[in-house]
């Protein structure tokens, strides 16, 4: 049994690792007001470069650290120069989406180069432990602490005594005023991305050595933990990020001590949500920064939507409706069924993110809630499947709205972080609430779809069912958008302050949007559960949330027809071109990047 | 060279500016003679701050020309324009709130590399603004509005500019500080720095300015030597909307 001191040491060491990631995030947020979702990917790249250096090139430890820091810094500079700088004058959501796309691309490149299988990353340090009070500490712990403290000192000296460091601080307090002093903001951005990447890369390498294992799943985890630590400390606040990281490390470590390992992440995300709700500026909010620009309004690329005549939509719907009568292969039907299910999720997200302006990154959680509800209703309570699916939709609507409601007072990027965290929390609760969800085992033997006592087993019947449900949801949503309610939604998105001044109750409207969107997503998840017949806590993951977001942007934010078109395109085109599964995510990432850069309003335009 | 028509240091000619669809400047032309104080007067939302942003390259005009010392500024980024010798005291001062007063003033010398001379200039600022001496290590954000205005002016002077552009330097200050600021502007100008200032308070500004322009919804409606404008009833009317002139 480890002692409390051991848990404390472990918490502080892990906190040091988080700090290396979070400090970079804080620097970047300070200068650009951007949450860099690619930070975890750089950490991943750092870990694999470390592996190449140690295992293949047999570099000594000090050289390994330098190589990793330098290589990661180059990656950071490339991201800044080619990924983000071209977006300088774009809408505010563009750089955020770009970093998401970049992270997908980097993760997939690492996976394709090194295979998804975990690898060992030996630390080259002697495996001894020293007694320290009632606990023990090893050379690797000391190395991590040393790297953390040294980096903090170097950063302090840089910010306090170098000219570029002054420019970084000035730009993060008032970008325009800094430019008027002659500060070249591009150089400042370059500097912070380079530093953030070097620290992040070294952090990834150290973590790999700490657990003597690296794999591609590290990336998202690192981003999430870094973001948690950074927001807890106060976004953009560098010392705050360090303290937030240590706090996060300790909370996790003590949480694990009391409840067990599978609770580690749950504590991290609960900490985040609590901080966001109680102190959205972080625990150590010091900076009276220049008031942040409004995130709404300019948040969405304005454009004139492409008008598609009603008859054309009717003809398209009719063609898809009669498709199973023609000799199309099972494979085509299967692909389109997936597209319709994704379409329902995209309808939900395009309403929430596009029409109301709440860019959710945790939408897969709504699928999961719907899927589990429907599966459990039909399995344990023998509710007919048709009703169970509706039950799933209702549960997603209710629970999803309830869970998200604490974040209604947040704006812009913070909504994205909060929804990401809530999505993770849902998945972790499913993992840990074994009495209801059967925990890590998952739920198997879910009955197939059925309607009024008839099982829908043939591909064409499943096809019709999912297509019909999606069309009904789309028609309802189209109606909603042209109604008075729809106009109020858009008013909230375009200017929430003005909307409030007109007496619109924001919370009520946001709730309504999430109720409607939650229902659509829940129904999609419910249907999926009965199609797959097996689900577990990883069936509906962040990748699907991001895929849905890509679909929505591809179609045009808020655009109902666009959401469906985007789903068909993103599910269908890889099939048409027979692209191997492992390249698909890479392609989604590239599609997202190209859209953000060249057609932010999507194919059909935003509404 | 005669004193009546000195060669202009700054010239805006035929500038048209838009924010999206909305036009803010209509064929705007303004010149600032070397060594002069020129004042741009106008009511709220008439486009005064935008004029400053055009000069500083923070906003790009859709058409028109801006020249400084004979060379065009169009297409230059803000830091490059600053390096040509234009310093600014922005609207609402915009200090770096979490940096100390000393750091704020020194940020003004960001474009310079002559460390010793910069240190001397810092001392000179403390004689020009004696009150700042005791506040050097204080957070700039914790100063009073008047003190912040002093820091903003010291910061602008630290680049040894040829011209300073100021956006409503007296806004929100007590009468005592207003007098002080105007006096300082005159002092700065007498040391050879040209000044282009935006003001709402016409009577104060006209006391120290050489020339003035009156801007009304993006158009220059009146211009000339400050002395002549001081007694011109149309100046006041411009603020009230112009049409109801007696
Ligand atoms: N970034 C911007 N985007 C869109 N419109 C803007 C922007 N900045 C200013 N405007 C609009 O341009 C017009 C002129 O603004 P400007 O700030 O130049 O006026 P001003 O004369 O300085 O006003 P004040 O006396 O209130 O400072 C105003 O109608 C303002 O609303
Ligand atoms: Mg103004």
């Amino acid at each position: 049994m480890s002692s409390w001191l051991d848990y404390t040491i472990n918490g502080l060491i892990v906190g040091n690792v988080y700090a290396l990631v979070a400090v970079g995030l804080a620097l970047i947020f300070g200068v650009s007001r951007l949450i860099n979702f690619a930070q975890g990917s750089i950490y991943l790249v750092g870990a694999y470069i470390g592996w190449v250096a140690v295992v293949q090139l047999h570099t000594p430890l000090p050289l390994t650290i330098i190589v990793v820091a330098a290589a990661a810094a180059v990656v950071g500079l490339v991201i800044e120069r080619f990924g983000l700088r071209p977006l300088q004058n774009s809408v505010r959501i563009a750089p955020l989406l770009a970093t998401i796309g970049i992270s997908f691309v980097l993760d997939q490149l690492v996976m394709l180069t090194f295979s998804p299988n975990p690898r060992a990353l030996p630390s080259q340090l002697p495996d001894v432990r020293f007694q320290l009070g009632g606990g023990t500490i090893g050379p690797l712990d000391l190395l991590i602490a040393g790297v953390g403290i040294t980096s903090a000192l170097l950063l302090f000296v840089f910010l306090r005594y170098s000219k570029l460091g002054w420019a970084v601080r000035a730009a993060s307090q008032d970008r325009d005023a800094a430019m008027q002093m002659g500060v070249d903001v591009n150089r400042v951005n370059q500097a912070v991305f380079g530093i953030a990447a070097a620290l992040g890369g070294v952090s990834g390498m150290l973590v790999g050595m700490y657990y003597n294992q690296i794999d591609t799943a590290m990336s998202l985890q690192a981003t999430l933990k870094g973001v948690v630590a950074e927001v807890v400390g106060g976004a953009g606040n560098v010392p705050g990020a360090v303290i937030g990281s240590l706090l996060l490390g300790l909370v996790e470590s003590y949480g694990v001590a009391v409840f067990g390992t599978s609770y580690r992440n749950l504590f991290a995300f609960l900490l985040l949500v609590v901080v966001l709700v109680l102190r959205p500026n972080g625990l150590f909010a010091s900076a009276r920064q220049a008031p942040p620009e409004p995130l709404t309004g300019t948040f969405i690329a304005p454009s004139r939507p492409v008008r598609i005549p009603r008859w054309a939509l009717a003809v398209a719907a009719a063609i898809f409706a009669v498709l199973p009568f023609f000799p199309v292969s099972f494979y085509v039907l299967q692909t389109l069924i997936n597209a319709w299910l994704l379409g329902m999720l995209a309808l939900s997200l395009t309403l929430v993110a596009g029409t109301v302006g709440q860019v959710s990154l945790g939408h897969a959680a709504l699928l999961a809630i719907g899927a589990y509800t429907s599966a459990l209703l039909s399995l344990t309570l023998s509710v007919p499947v048709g009703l169970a699916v509706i039950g799933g939709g209702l549960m997603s609507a209710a629970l999803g709205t309830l869970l998200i409601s604490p974040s209604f007072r947040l704006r812009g990027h913070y909504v994205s972080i909060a929804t990401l965290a809530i999505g993770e929390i849902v998945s972790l609760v499913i993992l840990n609430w074994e009495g209801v969800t059967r925990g890590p085992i998952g739920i198997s033997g879910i009955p197939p779809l059925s309607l009024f006592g008839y099982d829908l087993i043939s591909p064409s019947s499943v096809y019709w069912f999912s297509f019909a449900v999606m069309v009904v949801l789309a028609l309802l949503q189209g109606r909603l958008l042209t109604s008075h309610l729809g106009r109020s939604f858009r008013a909230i998105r375009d200017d929430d302050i003005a909307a409030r001044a007109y007496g619109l109750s924001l919370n009520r409207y946001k709730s309504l949007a999430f109720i409607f969107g939650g229902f659509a997503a829940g129904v999609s998840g419910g249907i999926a559960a009965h199609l797959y017949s097996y689900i577990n806590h990883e069936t509906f993951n962040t990748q699907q949330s991001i895929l849905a977001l890509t679909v929505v942007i591809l179609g045009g934010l808020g655009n109902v027809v666009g959401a469906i078109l985007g789903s068909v395109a993103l599910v269908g085109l890889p099939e048409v071109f027979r692209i191997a599964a492992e390249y698909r995510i890479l392609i989604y990432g590239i599609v997202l990047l190209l859209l953000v850069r060249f057609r932010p309003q999507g194919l059909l335009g935003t509404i | 060279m005669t004193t009546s028509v000195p060669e202009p240091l700054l010239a805006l000619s035929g500038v048209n500016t838009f924010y999206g669809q909305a036009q803010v400047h209509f064929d705007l032309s303004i010149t600032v003679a070397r060594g002069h104080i020129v004042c741009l007067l106008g009511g709220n939302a008439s486009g005064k701050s935008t004029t400053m942003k055009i000069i500083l390259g923070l906003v790009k005009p859709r058409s028109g020309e801006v020249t400084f010392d004979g060379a065009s500024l169009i297409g230059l980024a803000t830091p490059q324009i600053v390096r040509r010798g234009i310093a600014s005291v922005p609207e609402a001062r915009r200090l770096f709130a979490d940096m100390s007063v000393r750091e704020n003033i020194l940020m003004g010398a960001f474009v310079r590399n002559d460390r010793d001379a910069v240190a001397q200039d810092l001392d000179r600022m403390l004689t020009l603004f004696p009150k700042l001496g005791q506040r050097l290590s204080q957070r700039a954000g914790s100063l009073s509005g008047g003190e912040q205005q002093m820091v903003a002016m010291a910061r602008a002077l630290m680049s040894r500019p040829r011209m300073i552009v100021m956006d409503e330097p007296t806004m929100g200050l007590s009468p005592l500080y207003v007098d002080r600021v105007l006096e300082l502007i005159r002092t700065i100008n007498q040391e050879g720095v040209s000044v282009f200032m935006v003001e709402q308070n016409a009577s104060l500004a006209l006391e120290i300015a050489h020339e003035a322009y009156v801007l009304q919804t993006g158009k220059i409606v009146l211009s000339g030597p400050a002395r002549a404008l001081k007694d011109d009833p149309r100046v006041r009317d411009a603020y009230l909307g112009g049409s109801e002139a007696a």
Side-chain angles (χ1 to χ4, degrees):
Chain A
M1 200 60 250
S2 302
S3 72
W4 281 101
L5 191 59
D6 274 329
Y7 282 112
T8 308
I9 292 173
N10 174 267
L12 290 175
I13 296 302
V14 173
N16 250 296
V17 167
Y18 292 159
L20 289 172
V21 177
V23 160
L25 286 170
L27 282 172
I28 291 172
F29 189 90
V31 173
S32 310
R33 298 286 177 273
L34 165 70
I35 290 162
N36 177 19
F37 278 97
Q39 186 74 357
S41 305
I42 295 173
Y43 166 102
L44 179 71
V45 169
Y48 276 86
I49 293 170
W51 181 84
V52 170
V54 170
V55 174
Q56 302 205 309
L57 306 175
H58 309 289
T59 52
L61 187 59
L63 185 59
T64 310
I65 294 178
I66 292 170
V67 166
V68 168
V74 170
V75 175
L77 292 178
V78 169
I79 290 177
E80 190 278 326
R81 180 66 191 81
F82 299 103
L84 298 174
R85 201 179 298 177
L87 300 177
Q88 243 164 22
N89 299 319
S90 315
V91 288
R92 287 192 47 88
I93 194 180
L96 176 81
L97 295 173
T99 62
I100 293 175
I102 289 167
S103 106
F104 266 52
V105 170
L106 279 180
D107 290 358
Q108 290 304 308
L109 288 178
V110 170
M111 194 183 277
L112 292 170
T113 315
F114 293 96
S115 92
N117 300 328
R119 281 157 200 263
L121 177 53
S123 73
Q124 306 159 296
L125 289 169
D127 189 16
V128 294
R129 311 268 323 161
F130 311 110
Q131 282 293 310
L132 185 83
T136 65
I137 193 164
L140 194 53
D141 297 325
L142 294 174
L143 173 72
I144 291 175
V147 170
I149 293 168
T150 311
S151 313
L153 281 178
L154 286 177
L155 195 60
F156 176 82
V157 169
F158 166 74
L159 289 175
R160 181 63 49 138
Y161 299 106
S162 78
K163 204 161 175 177
L164 190 53
W166 280 43
V168 169
R169 283 161 63 210
S172 61
Q173 285 169 50
D174 191 330
R175 196 184 165 99
D176 275 1
M179 281 163 65
Q180 291 175 48
M181 300 302 119
V183 170
D184 179 348
V185 180
N186 285 335
R187 284 245 304 145
V188 167
N189 264 328
Q190 242 168 19
V192 295
F193 268 89
I195 294 170
L199 295 176
V202 170
S203 175
M205 180 206 74
L206 291 173
V207 169
M209 291 180 173
Y210 193 64
Y211 296 111
N212 193 18
Q213 179 182 320
I214 55 175
D215 63 54
T216 42
M218 293 166 68
S219 166
L220 181 64
Q221 284 303 315
T223 302
L224 292 175
K225 294 301 173 61
V227 168
V228 174
E230 199 236 338
V231 173
V232 167
N237 180 336
V238 172
V242 174
I243 300 174
S245 302
L246 296 176
L247 190 66
L248 176 61
L250 288 174
V251 165
E252 282 187 12
S253 190
Y254 293 142
V256 167
V258 178
F259 296 96
T261 323
S262 58
Y263 283 84
R264 174 180 286 273
N265 292 343
L266 196 53
F267 279 99
F269 297 121
L270 285 177
L271 178 66
L272 174 71
V273 172
V274 168
V275 168
L276 277 182
V277 169
L278 297 182
R279 281 188 74 101
N281 291 325
L283 292 182
F284 314 101
S286 72
R288 261 201 288 146
Q289 282 153 342
E293 310 156 46
L295 288 174
T296 44
T298 51
F299 200 59
I300 308 288
S303 75
R304 213 180 296 265
V306 177
R307 284 247 158 265
I308 301 177
R310 262 160 209 263
W311 62 263
L313 289 176
V315 168
I319 291 175
F320 278 114
V322 300
L323 196 67
F325 290 122
F326 293 89
V328 291
S329 68
F330 168 71
Y331 176 68
V332 169
L333 288 187
Q334 189 64 46
T335 303
L336 283 172
I337 291 170
N338 287 337
W340 305 147
L341 289 180
L342 181 59
M344 293 176 216
L345 182 66
L347 282 175
S348 164
L349 186 58
T350 212
L351 177 69
V352 167
T355 309
V356 192
Q358 310 287 300
V359 178
S360 159
L361 295 182
H363 237 57
L366 297 173
L367 290 179
I369 294 173
Y372 269 85
T373 306
S374 186
L376 290 170
L377 281 177
S378 59
L379 264 179
T380 54
L381 300 180
S382 308
V383 173
V385 170
L387 283 180
V389 167
I390 292 177
L394 292 176
M395 181 61 95
S396 252
L399 198 56
T401 308
L402 190 71
L403 286 173
I404 203 77
S405 58
S407 76
F408 281 165
R409 41 186 295 215
L410 304 174
R411 302 171 69 191
H413 291 189
Y414 285 96
V415 175
S416 304
I417 298 178
T419 49
L420 188 63
I422 291 166
E424 291 293 310
I425 288 173
V426 166
S427 147
L428 289 163
V429 167
I430 290 173
L431 174 66
N432 285 300
W433 196 7
E434 298 192 11
V436 172
T437 63
R438 308 188 191 168
I441 302 165
I443 299 180
S444 49
I446 303 170
L449 284 174
S450 70
L451 209 54
F452 309 118
Y454 296 99
D455 281 356
L456 306 178
I457 302 212
S458 73
S460 35
S461 58
V462 173
Y463 175 92
W464 274 318
F465 179 73
S466 48
F467 182 63
V469 171
M470 184 197 68
V471 168
V472 169
L473 287 170
L475 288 174
L476 281 176
Q477 191 160 325
R479 241 349 242 288
L480 183 73
L481 292 187
T482 51
S483 71
H484 181 69
L485 189 59
R487 280 193 294 280
S488 304
F489 282 156
R490 288 190 290 273
I492 290 173
R493 171 192 73 193
D494 293 337
D495 190 343
D496 60 358
I497 293 171
R500 204 171 323 183
Y502 285 123
L504 294 180
S505 155
L506 298 192
N507 287 355
R508 213 168 64 223
Y509 284 99
K510 288 180 184 174
S511 300
L512 281 172
F514 272 93
I515 287 171
F516 191 92
F519 182 77
V523 165
S524 171
I527 296 175
H530 296 282
L531 286 183
Y532 302 162
S533 85
Y534 171 77
I535 54 173
N536 68 15
H537 69 284
E538 284 173 334
T539 309
F540 307 100
N541 55 26
T542 308
Q543 275 192 355
Q544 289 193 38
S545 300
I546 306 292
L547 174 59
L549 189 60
T550 310
V551 164
V552 164
I553 291 165
L554 178 63
L557 278 158
N559 195 316
V560 170
V561 180
I564 296 169
L565 179 71
S567 302
V568 174
L570 274 198
V571 173
L573 290 183
E575 300 291 347
V576 172
F577 294 107
R578 310 255 159 199
I579 293 166
E582 58 266 36
Y583 287 96
R584 280 189 194 170
I585 310 265
L586 181 65
I587 288 174
Y588 296 150
I590 293 172
V591 167
L592 185 57
L593 279 176
L594 292 177
L595 277 173
V596 167
R597 175 87 172 82
F598 297 106
R599 205 173 160 80
Q601 73 274 37
L603 294 177
L604 298 186
T606 56
I607 291 181
Chain B
M1 189 183 283
T2 59
T3 49
S4 56
V5 192
E7 184 196 354
L9 180 61
L10 177 84
L12 282 75
S13 52
V15 168
N16 289 290
T17 313
F18 291 76
Y19 286 119
Q21 303 285 321
Q23 185 160 5
V24 187
H25 288 151
F26 298 83
D27 196 26
L28 194 70
S29 295
I30 291 174
T31 56
V32 178
R34 257 167 234 279
H36 275 200
I37 299 176
V38 172
C39 185
L40 181 65
L41 304 168
N44 285 118
S46 54
K48 304 184 299 295
S49 299
T50 306
T51 311
M52 273 206 39
K53 290 178 184 161
I54 291 282
I55 296 169
L56 289 166
L58 291 165
V59 171
K60 311 276 173 224
R62 186 170 293 178
S63 62
E65 180 59 283
V66 181
T67 59
F68 182 68
D69 202 10
S72 175
L73 297 183
I74 299 290
L76 294 188
T78 304
Q80 294 169 297
I81 292 173
V82 172
R83 277 166 205 274
R84 298 255 168 122
I86 302 182
S88 68
V89 177
E91 192 168 19
R93 308 182 261 278
R94 307 284 287 265
L95 297 186
F96 305 111
D98 280 336
M99 294 170 90
S100 70
V101 170
R102 174 199 291 278
E103 287 174 326
N104 265 278
I105 298 176
L106 289 175
M107 268 312 291
F110 188 81
V111 294
R112 293 172 57 183
N113 290 312
D114 45 345
R115 293 190 116 193
D116 296 340
V118 168
Q120 280 171 20
D121 281 0
L122 179 61
D123 289 339
R124 206 168 63 86
M125 289 310 138
L126 296 184
T127 49
L128 205 55
F129 308 92
K131 277 202 174 153
L132 296 183
Q134 313 129 35
R135 307 240 178 250
L136 278 181
S137 50
Q138 200 168 321
R139 252 185 92 244
S142 68
L143 299 182
S144 76
E147 290 166 335
Q148 290 198 12
Q149 187 63 43
M150 301 293 150
V151 177
M153 290 172 72
R155 183 177 72 172
L157 285 170
M158 285 299 286
S159 63
R160 292 199 176 164
R162 285 190 282 167
M163 186 172 102
I164 296 190
V165 293
M166 301 189 188
D167 198 342
E168 306 205 24
T170 62
M171 189 169 66
L173 301 187
S174 66
L176 201 74
Y177 265 110
V178 169
D179 288 346
R180 181 103 188 78
V181 165
L182 293 177
E183 204 183 296
L184 278 164
I185 293 174
R186 211 180 251 153
T187 315
I188 292 167
N189 176 248
Q190 276 158 6
E191 290 178 12
V193 181
S194 308
V195 175
F196 176 72
M197 62 188 274
V198 157
E199 259 300 345
Q200 288 208 43
N201 191 333
S203 55
L204 285 176
L206 290 173
E207 267 173 41
I208 61 165
H210 297 98
E211 284 93 33
Y213 292 80
V214 179
L215 191 62
Q216 197 178 24
T217 53
K219 299 185 187 93
I220 299 288
V221 291
L222 211 58
S223 66
R227 227 172 307 126
L229 289 182
K230 203 155 37 175
D231 308 315
D232 194 323
R234 286 176 301 171
V235 172
R236 260 194 64 237
D237 294 340
Y239 282 83
L240 300 171
S243 52
E244 61 246 84

